[in-house]
DNA sequence: CTAGGGTTAG
């Protein structure tokens, strides 16, 4: 450690003021204890070292007592000049020098500090954030008996603890004060704000008023900050009162206005913040920056950019904060060019390229504009990396699905830079680690979260829930969800989405119900707990739960959600609207679906795709094509709407269900040229299906052979196999199956299909072989499962499962029905039931397929004439199709069965699909 | 004593 401060350099020489000359005294005799205990002969080098490392003041160090005094007599011994020097240095931001002077004053000159010296040295300590030093000076204050005599000293102590210490220290000093002035209150309020004790800060403000102490422009700054962090309503009310007070009393300065602007910004009152900005003419750079960040914080991105322009025009030079505030606007608007312009300006005109605030904003901007590599270059250019910068980069990687990079940077930050991930880091990296195939230690990440004590972070908890549900461990997600102390809207939505994605639609609906219950309960509470986030279903909730209704054909539930959406002004949301269009269509109500579509104020590609898909599922291919043409026409008008990959999937599916081979093929050949959509493997699979269903198996097979070699052919082969089952084509079916067995040996449906093809062609032996092969591979068929909505519940029926309470009754009913059907000419089609079957399959044979059970339940439990809607997880088999036609006639009911692909609307012995499906 | 970094669900 070098002694870089010369003890008697001009800098340290006390500037002699008139006050100094007027009262020369040494003060030695006033503090004999001090002189007795401590010698004055601190070696200067170690004093400087102590000051430079800012750890301990030698006055309390035992080593001092043993050293002999040698130089003390040569020093100036005037207290005022020492203190004057100290104050000068503190004012000039020469903090280390100030501390050194303080030490020398005590040790070399033997002068005790006074009420002027303490504030000065405490200012230095505060600036250097050295709590240890601060505590020692606090001890001096006690020792020298100034604690009660000076309010100022106590105030600076409060301030020092506010910046360096903890809240307990702050309170200790504040509570012991016998006299409090305005600054005391300001200090305590500001400190409480620092500790984010917003409520306590406002309480202190009330006490201050109660104490008849008038707040100043400084007080109002802290109060505004506290208000802005209070739950919207209360904070705004109080903030407005305080602001009114400020205006009424003229108690404001530029920084007060800036603080009020910031307050309004945080409370979402952009117009108020802007009005303040425009009302007062003495704006400084902070006013401009606050204005700009008001805009970016509240999603007014274009205004943010515009005000940057105005700022520059006004001759104010933007600084790092300006850039960090305005870059998120470029990021959100994905205005890469504007962002680059700002980057260029920063590089050329400022010394900020290494500023990590600006760096984080740049990384975020580049990554949001999909320029991940550019983001990385900015990242690499910054030498002093903090967590925010790492977080920006990791988030950028994760959001662009650069999962490996996200993970590797995550591991690097601790290993190389010694920076520990925080909650933000974890919530960004968790989605990456569940997606990344090369990473398998997801549980390890959970362990790491616990090791770092981040398991209470709500964002982390939400991300973990999502991770487990994506891994298929929905039970763990639920456990985490249940163990959360505070659940926010994302927690609820994540859990609901998890259920929907795992196919547990019933649970999703139950959770929505529970969510609404909690909301109602919270509403009734007189006491509103600010920490409890009331889980009000939002647009995301609805759009995730609606597919659940659709999957279950839970029309009543869906309508209820629609009503909720309307009541809460969420139905006009494009995403929710589109989900409703989809739900109605999948519940069999094509006209409601269409009405919803027509009423939507804004539609996007998804909305259109959903409706085209809906018409397709309902076997109305012509209208689907018509819609497609309308869509293209509207797109030409607006220039925004364009058919995308999904649109073509919908179109091909529609053509396929309606047997419109020619139209489908035509569009397939034109899609790239006329609509700019490149055919993908999915499109091939759809067209194979289109051809195959129409019986053009040879053409379908040829099309697969024509697929680009790098394309994934799995879906195309399964389309072909499915078509072969419809048309009993053993030969092509074998080819398709052979390919599939190689590509996906663990998918049960391939084996089942081929075996069905064999049995329907009378090749029982071969069918058996496939069954054995399946057993050997340990592949199990997904059980057939149907749903029927009844009252408030959705009843589930599983093939071969007798757990339904009415199971016996249903089977009895089906048996009687079956006899009547036979009399009417029904012949069971057993091609899809395997002969020589194992136990499981025998049961299936006995109990019938799940859709039959659901239909029987519907007939028995609903009033005559009611339409029966059944949803099924697999395709409806031939036998059920034939049987349902008979049933619809015998019981005189409309029966709508929706399987994975499409609708069957049975009426009076016929089906809407005309037996083509 | 005043402005600023960012994350999870879709």
């Amino acid at each position: 450690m070098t002694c870089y401060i010369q003890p008697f350099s001009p800098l340290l020489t006390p500037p002699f003021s008139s006050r100094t000359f007027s009262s020369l005294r040494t003060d030695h005799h006033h503090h004999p204890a001090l002189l007795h205990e401590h010698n004055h002969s601190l070696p200067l080098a170690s004093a400087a070292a102590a000051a430079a490392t800012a750890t301990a003041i030698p006055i309390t160090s035992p080593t001092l007592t043993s050293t002999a005094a040698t130089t003390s007599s040569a020093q100036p011994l005037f207290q005022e000049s020492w203190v004057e020097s100290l104050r000068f240095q503190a004012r000039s931001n020469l903090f280390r020098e100030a501390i050194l002077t303080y030490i020398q004053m005590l040790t070399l000159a033997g002068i005790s500090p006074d009420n002027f010296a303490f504030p000065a040295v405490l200012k230095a300590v505060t600036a250097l954030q050295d709590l240890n030093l601060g505590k020692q000076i606090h001890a001096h204050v006690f020792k020298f008996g100034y604690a009660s005599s000076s309010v100022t000293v106590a105030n600076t102590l409060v301030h020092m603890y506010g910046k360096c210490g903890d809240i307990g220290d702050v309170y200790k000093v504040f509570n012991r004060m016998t006299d409090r002035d305005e600054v005391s209150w300001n200090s305590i309020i500001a400190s409480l704000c620092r500790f984010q004790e917003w409520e306590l800060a406002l309480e202190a403000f009330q006490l201050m008023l109660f104490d008849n102490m008038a707040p100043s422009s400084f007080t109002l700054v802290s109060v505004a900050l506290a208000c802005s962090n209070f739950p919207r309503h209360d904070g705004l009310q109080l903030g407005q009162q305080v602001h009114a007070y400020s205006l009424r009393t003229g108690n404001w300065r530029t920084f007060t206005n800036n603080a009020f602007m910031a307050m309004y910004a945080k409370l979402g009152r952009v117009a108020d913040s802007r009005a303040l900005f425009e009302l007062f003419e003495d704006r400084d750079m902070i006013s401009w920056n606050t204005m700009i960040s008001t805009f970016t914080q509240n999603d007014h991105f274009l205004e943010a950019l515009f005000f940057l322009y105005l700022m520059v025009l006004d001759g104010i030079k933007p600084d790092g904060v300006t850039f960090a505030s305005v870059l998120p606007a470029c990021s959100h608007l994905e205005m890469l060019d504007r962002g680059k312009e700002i980057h260029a300006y920063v590089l050329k005109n400022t010394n900020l390229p290494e500023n990590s605030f600006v760096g984080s904003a740049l990384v975020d901007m580049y990554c949001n504009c999909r320029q991940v590599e550019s983001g990385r270059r900015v990242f690499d250019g910054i030498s002093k990396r903090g967590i925010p910068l790492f977080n920006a980069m990791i988030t950028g990687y994760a959001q662009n699905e650069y999962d490996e990079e996200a993970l590797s940077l995550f591991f690097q930050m601790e290993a190389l830079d010694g920076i520990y991930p925080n909650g933000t880091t974890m919530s960004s990296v968790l989605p990456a680690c569940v997606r990344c195939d090369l990473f398998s230690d997801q549980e390890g990440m959970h362990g790491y979260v616990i090791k770092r004590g981040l398991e209470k972070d709500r964002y982390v908890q939400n991300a973990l829930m999502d991770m487990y549900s994506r891994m298929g461990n929905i039970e763990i997600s639920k456990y985490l969800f249940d163990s959360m102390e505070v659940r926010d809207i994302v927690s609820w939505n994540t859990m609901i989405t998890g259920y929907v994605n795992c196919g547990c639609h019933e649970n999703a609906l139950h959770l929505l119900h529970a969510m609404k219950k909690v909301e109602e309960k919270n509403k009734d509470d007189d006491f509103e707990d600010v920490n409890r986030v009331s889980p009000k279903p939002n647009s995301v909730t609805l759009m995730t739960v609606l597919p659940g209704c659709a999957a279950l054909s839970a029309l009543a539930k869906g309508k209820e959600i629609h009503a909720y959406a309307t009541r809460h002004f969420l139905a006009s949301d494009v995403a929710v609207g589109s989900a409703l269009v989809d739900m109605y269509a999948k519940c069999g109500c094509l006209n409601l679906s269409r009405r919803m579509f027509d009423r939507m104020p804004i539609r996007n590609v998804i909305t259109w795709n959903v409706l085209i898909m809906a018409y397709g599922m309902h076997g109305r291919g012509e209208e689907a094509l018509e819609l497609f043409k309308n869509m293209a026409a509207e797109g030409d008008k607006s220039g925004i709407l364009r058919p995308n990959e999904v649109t073509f999937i919908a179109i091909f599916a529609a053509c396929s269900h309606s047997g419109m081979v020619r139209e489908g093929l035509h569009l397939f050949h034109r899609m790239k040229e006329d609509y700019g959509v490149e055919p993908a493997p999915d499109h091939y699979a759809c067209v194979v299906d289109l051809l195959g269903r129409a019986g053009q198996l040879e053409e379908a097979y040829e099309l697969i052979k024509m697929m680009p070699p790098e394309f994934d052919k799995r879906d195309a082969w399964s389309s072909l196999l499915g078509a072969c089952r419809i048309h009993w084509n053993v030969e092509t079916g074998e080819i398709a199956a052979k390919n599939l067995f190689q590509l996906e040996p663990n998918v049960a449906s391939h084996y089942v299909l081929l075996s069905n093809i064999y049995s329907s062609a009378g090749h029982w032996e071969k069918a058996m072989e496939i069954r054995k092969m399946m057993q050997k591979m340990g592949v199990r068929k997904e059980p057939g499962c149907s749903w029927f909505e009844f009252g408030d519940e959705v009843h589930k029926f599983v093939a071969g499962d007798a757990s339904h309470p009415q199971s016996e009754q249903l089977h009895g009913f089906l048996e009687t029905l079956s006899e009547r059907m036979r009399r009417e000419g029904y012949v069971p089609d057993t091609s899809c039931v395997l002969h020589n079957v194992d136990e499981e399959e025998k049961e299936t044979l006995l109990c019938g397929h799940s859709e039959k059970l659901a239909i029987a339940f519907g007939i028995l439990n609903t009033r005559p004439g009611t339409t029966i809607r059944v949803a099924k997880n697999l395709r409806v088999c031939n036998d059920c199709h034939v049987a349902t036609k008979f049933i619809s006639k015998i019981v005189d009911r409309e029966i709508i069965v929706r399987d994975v692909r499409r609708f069957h609307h049975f009426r009076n012995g016929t089906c809407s699909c005309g037996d083509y499906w």
Side-chain angles (χ1 to χ4, degrees):
Chain A
M1 184 66 65
T2 47
C3 174
Y4 63 94
I5 303 161
Q6 291 304 310
F8 297 109
S9 68
L11 203 61
L12 280 183
T13 307
F16 291 93
S17 66
S18 54
R19 197 169 66 94
T20 316
F21 283 113
S22 66
S23 56
L24 304 175
R25 54 191 172 83
T26 62
D27 266 352
H28 276 199
H29 307 295
H30 295 156
H31 298 289
L34 175 77
L35 293 174
H36 182 73
E37 275 175 36
H38 304 292
N39 218 308
H40 316 154
S41 60
L42 176 73
L44 288 177
S46 62
T53 53
T55 46
I57 294 181
I59 194 159
T60 54
S61 158
T63 58
L64 295 177
T65 49
S66 59
T67 337
T70 49
T71 50
S72 63
S73 57
Q75 312 311 315
L77 300 173
F78 313 116
Q79 187 190 34
E80 279 83 0
S81 48
W82 277 97
V83 173
E84 202 59 33
S85 168
L86 177 58
R87 295 177 65 189
F88 171 79
Q89 288 163 338
R91 265 202 309 275
S92 317
N93 294 345
L94 300 163
F95 302 125
R96 291 188 188 285
E97 291 83 343
I99 289 168
L100 185 57
T101 304
Y102 177 81
I103 295 166
Q104 287 175 341
M105 182 174 90
L106 262 71
T107 57
L108 292 177
I111 294 170
S112 54
D114 63 5
N115 281 341
F116 295 99
F118 283 126
V121 71
L122 281 168
K123 183 186 175 190
V125 168
T126 307
L128 296 173
Q129 297 256 309
D130 193 322
L131 179 61
N132 210 359
L133 212 55
K135 283 194 167 164
Q136 293 181 54
I137 291 172
H138 189 180
H140 296 180
V141 171
F142 264 112
K143 191 175 214 139
F144 298 123
Y146 286 110
S148 56
S149 60
S150 167
V151 186
T152 316
V153 172
N155 288 345
T156 37
L157 275 170
V158 171
H159 188 219
M160 184 276 293
Y161 280 123
K163 287 246 172 163
C164 321
D166 61 48
I167 193 157
D169 296 324
V170 174
Y171 265 129
K172 225 182 277 168
V173 181
F174 184 79
N175 288 336
R176 281 185 191 155
M177 287 169 75
T178 45
D179 263 343
R180 290 177 188 133
D181 62 5
E182 179 237 324
V183 180
S184 319
W185 288 100
N186 290 350
S187 303
I188 187 80
I189 296 171
S191 299
L192 289 166
C193 286
R194 269 192 94 68
F195 294 113
Q196 307 201 351
E197 296 284 359
W198 315 114
E199 204 170 350
L200 291 175
L202 291 176
E203 210 172 276
F205 177 59
Q206 304 285 352
L207 285 172
M208 176 183 185
L209 298 178
F210 190 72
D211 225 22
N212 271 330
M213 195 66 77
S216 72
S217 50
F218 292 109
T219 325
L220 299 182
V221 167
S222 302
V223 174
L225 182 65
C227 287
S228 68
N229 282 289
F230 229 60
R232 271 191 187 208
H233 194 61
D234 297 9
L236 185 62
Q237 230 171 26
L238 187 57
Q240 281 170 335
Q241 279 176 24
V242 174
H243 187 198
Y245 169 87
S246 153
L247 294 173
R248 201 167 57 236
T249 56
N251 214 344
W252 52 268
R253 299 209 220 158
T254 303
F255 59 76
T256 326
N257 283 332
N258 292 343
F260 280 118
M261 279 175 67
M263 176 190 82
Y264 284 125
K266 269 240 176 76
L267 295 168
R269 311 281 289 207
V270 181
D272 290 330
S273 172
R274 183 173 179 165
L276 253 178
F277 177 80
E278 283 167 357
L279 200 61
F280 294 98
E281 288 187 353
D282 51 342
R283 307 166 191 133
D284 57 8
M285 184 178 57
I286 294 177
S287 317
W288 281 96
N289 287 350
T290 309
M291 191 68 253
I292 291 174
S293 72
T294 298
F295 287 132
T296 39
Q297 275 173 39
N298 291 284
D299 298 350
H300 292 224
F301 301 119
L302 287 171
E303 282 107 316
L305 287 165
F306 183 55
F307 271 71
L308 173 69
Y309 170 76
L310 290 180
M311 179 181 183
V312 175
L313 215 63
D314 220 37
I316 314 261
K317 199 174 173 229
D319 75 339
V321 178
T322 321
F323 296 123
S325 307
V326 82
L327 278 166
C330 305
S331 171
H332 283 272
L333 295 169
E334 297 189 27
M335 284 179 137
L336 180 59
D337 291 339
R338 187 52 50 88
K340 279 183 177 168
E341 226 173 89
I342 292 175
H343 190 187
Y345 182 90
V346 168
L347 289 173
K348 213 175 146 195
N349 301 309
T350 71
N351 54 354
L352 297 169
E354 295 237 355
N355 178 313
S356 84
F357 276 102
V358 179
S360 306
L362 280 169
V363 168
D364 176 72
M365 186 276 294
Y366 278 116
C367 292
N368 235 342
C369 297
R370 331 250 133 220
Q371 307 293 309
V372 183
E373 278 81 13
S374 305
R376 180 62 197 233
R377 277 194 292 277
V378 174
F379 176 87
D380 286 333
I382 290 162
S383 45
K384 237 183 135 249
R385 303 163 173 180
I387 302 194
L389 183 66
F390 270 98
N391 286 350
M393 194 65 239
I394 290 174
T395 305
Y397 276 139
Q399 286 180 344
N400 286 284
E401 306 205 357
Y402 283 49
D403 300 324
E404 280 171 49
E405 287 84 352
L407 278 163
S408 91
L409 194 60
F410 168 76
F411 288 117
Q412 264 176 37
M413 70 188 273
E414 187 176 336
L416 298 180
D417 287 52
I419 294 175
Y420 290 112
N422 63 11
T424 309
T425 328
M426 293 316 297
S427 41
S428 291
V429 84
L430 285 170
C433 80
V434 70
R435 270 192 310 258
C436 186
D437 294 333
L438 292 172
F439 187 82
S440 56
D441 193 18
Q442 277 80 8
E443 279 91 351
M445 290 299 252
H446 190 175
Y448 185 82
V449 163
I450 292 167
K451 187 177 143 199
R452 297 232 53 82
L454 299 169
E455 75 276 11
K456 292 275 175 216
D457 181 308
R458 214 168 43 224
Y459 280 76
V460 175
Q461 289 172 323
N462 290 342
L464 279 172
M465 274 166 55
D466 187 54
M467 181 185 86
Y468 280 113
S469 84
R470 281 179 206 275
M471 288 163 65
N473 287 327
I474 194 80
E475 296 83 9
I476 300 184
S477 299
K478 185 64 172 35
Y479 173 79
L480 289 173
F481 180 80
D482 287 339
S483 56
M484 284 172 79
E485 277 169 28
V486 181
R487 300 176 197 97
D488 62 13
I489 184 68
V490 178
S491 320
W492 288 90
N493 288 349
T494 305
M495 199 59 232
I496 291 176
T497 311
Y499 276 137
V500 172
N501 288 343
C502 292
C504 312
H505 307 295
E506 299 97 321
N507 299 33
L509 291 178
H510 281 140
L511 208 57
L512 178 72
H513 191 65
M515 186 176 184
K516 282 203 266 187
K517 271 211 160 145
V518 176
E519 188 204 351
E520 278 155 26
K521 188 174 150 284
N522 282 0
K523 223 186 288 170
D524 294 343
D525 274 356
D526 292 338
F527 169 70
E528 191 156 347
D529 182 351
V530 292
N531 289 318
R532 187 173 50 200
V533 192
S534 196
K536 200 168 152 48
N538 64 6
S539 57
V540 177
T541 323
L542 302 191
M543 64 185 275
T544 43
V545 84
L546 280 168
C549 298
L552 302 174
S553 272
L555 181 61
K557 205 66 189 173
K559 281 185 171 170
E560 193 187 314
I561 292 169
H562 188 177
Y564 182 92
T566 310
R567 275 202 306 281
H568 294 84
F569 310 104
L570 295 169
S572 51
D573 183 288
V574 211
V576 174
S578 306
L580 283 168
V581 172
D582 187 53
M583 181 276 295
Y584 279 124
K586 290 197 174 132
C587 289
C589 306
L590 189 58
N591 43 355
L592 287 181
S593 172
R594 180 59 193 250
R595 201 188 299 169
M596 185 68 217
F597 177 89
D598 289 336
R599 279 186 189 170
M600 282 173 67
I602 303 163
R603 308 180 191 106
N604 62 17
V605 207
I606 298 173
T607 325
W608 283 89
N609 290 349
V610 162
L611 194 67
I612 293 173
M613 198 83 87
Y615 275 95
M617 286 186 90
H618 283 263
R620 291 161 68 164
E622 295 286 350
E623 282 146 294
L625 266 184
E626 197 60 37
L627 271 171
F628 173 74
K629 282 179 197 145
N630 293 345
M631 178 188 182
E634 186 145 318
D636 286 339
K637 255 193 313 195
S638 67
I640 302 168
L641 187 72
R642 290 205 157 268
N644 64 9
E645 320 76 70
V646 182
T647 316
F648 283 95
I649 304 276
I651 283 293
F652 298 145
C655 290
S656 171
H657 291 144
S658 300
M660 295 157 64
V661 179
R662 203 171 44 79
E663 294 85 342
L665 274 183
H666 175 73
L667 280 170
F668 180 63
H669 291 126
R670 305 295 312 161
M671 62 188 281
K672 189 181 168 190
E673 254 180 76
D674 293 356
Y675 303 96
V677 180
E678 200 85 40
D682 286 347
H683 296 117
Y684 278 92
C686 286
V687 177
V688 168
D689 180 74
L690 170 70
L691 291 164
R693 258 169 220 285
Q696 305 184 20
L697 294 172
E698 199 52 45
E699 288 86 341
Y701 183 31
E702 287 304 316
L703 187 64
I704 297 181
K705 286 200 268 188
M706 274 161 52
M707 281 173 78
E710 71 276 13
F711 271 24
D712 183 347
K713 300 189 179 58
R714 286 179 295 183
D715 291 340
W717 285 122
S718 19
S719 294
L720 185 62
L721 182 61
C724 291
R725 209 225 53 164
I726 296 171
H727 298 284
W728 306 293
N729 187 316
V730 178
E731 204 182 314
T732 314
E734 280 178 333
I735 298 172
K738 212 179 277 168
N739 280 287
L740 282 166
F741 293 158
Q742 250 180 13
L743 293 165
E744 292 181 318
N746 292 318
V747 175
S749 66
H750 305 329
Y751 296 90
V752 176
L753 277 176
L754 182 63
S755 140
N756 286 350
I757 293 172
Y758 280 138
S759 32
S760 56
H763 302 327
W764 309 116
E765 300 278 305
K766 285 192 173 169
M768 271 299 294
E769 249 173 63
I770 299 297
R771 288 300 292 189
K772 278 192 188 137
M773 205 167 133
M774 207 172 152
Q775 264 173 346
K776 210 178 78 193
M777 296 293 300
V779 185
R780 286 179 71 91
K781 182 176 162 289
E782 185 189 349
C785 170
S786 296
W787 296 276
F788 181 83
E789 186 186 34
F790 182 62
D792 237 6
E793 296 282 320
V794 175
H795 288 247
K796 185 176 178 179
F797 303 89
V798 182
D801 174 27
S803 65
H804 191 274
Q806 293 185 20
S807 190
E808 237 172 85
Q809 221 184 318
L810 297 180
H811 286 122
F813 179 64
L814 278 174
E815 259 167 54
T816 1
L817 210 52
S818 160
E819 271 167 42
R820 281 188 63 186
M821 281 154 62
R822 275 172 219 266
R823 281 205 297 275
E824 302 258 345
Y826 163 69
V827 181
D829 174 356
T830 51
S831 67
C832 57
V833 178
L834 295 142
H835 295 255
N836 206 350
V837 286
D838 54 30
E839 284 310 302
E840 179 201 357
E841 293 294 332
K842 258 182 203 158
E843 267 179 309
T844 312
L845 206 70
L846 283 169
C847 306
H849 279 154
S850 62
E851 56 267 49
K852 279 191 196 144
L853 290 169
I855 291 167
F857 177 86
I859 294 169
L860 286 179
N861 292 286
T862 59
R863 293 219 311 274
T866 315
T867 303
I868 292 166
R869 292 164 207 281
V870 170
K872 188 177 178 187
N873 67 337
L874 307 171
R875 295 262 179 99
V876 175
C877 80
N878 258 326
D879 180 56
C880 289
H881 195 262
V882 177
T884 311
K885 283 199 287 185
F886 280 96
I887 296 173
S888 76
K889 187 161 184 206
I890 291 167
V891 301
D892 189 24
R893 294 272 195 131
E894 280 186 45
I895 302 171
I896 301 175
V897 178
R898 202 215 61 233
D899 67 19
V900 267
R901 292 264 174 274
R902 61 163 302 156
F903 277 94
H904 298 275
H905 197 147
F906 299 94
R907 225 179 321 213
N908 198 23
T910 59
C911 179
S912 60
C913 73
D915 297 340
Y916 181 88
W917 86 93

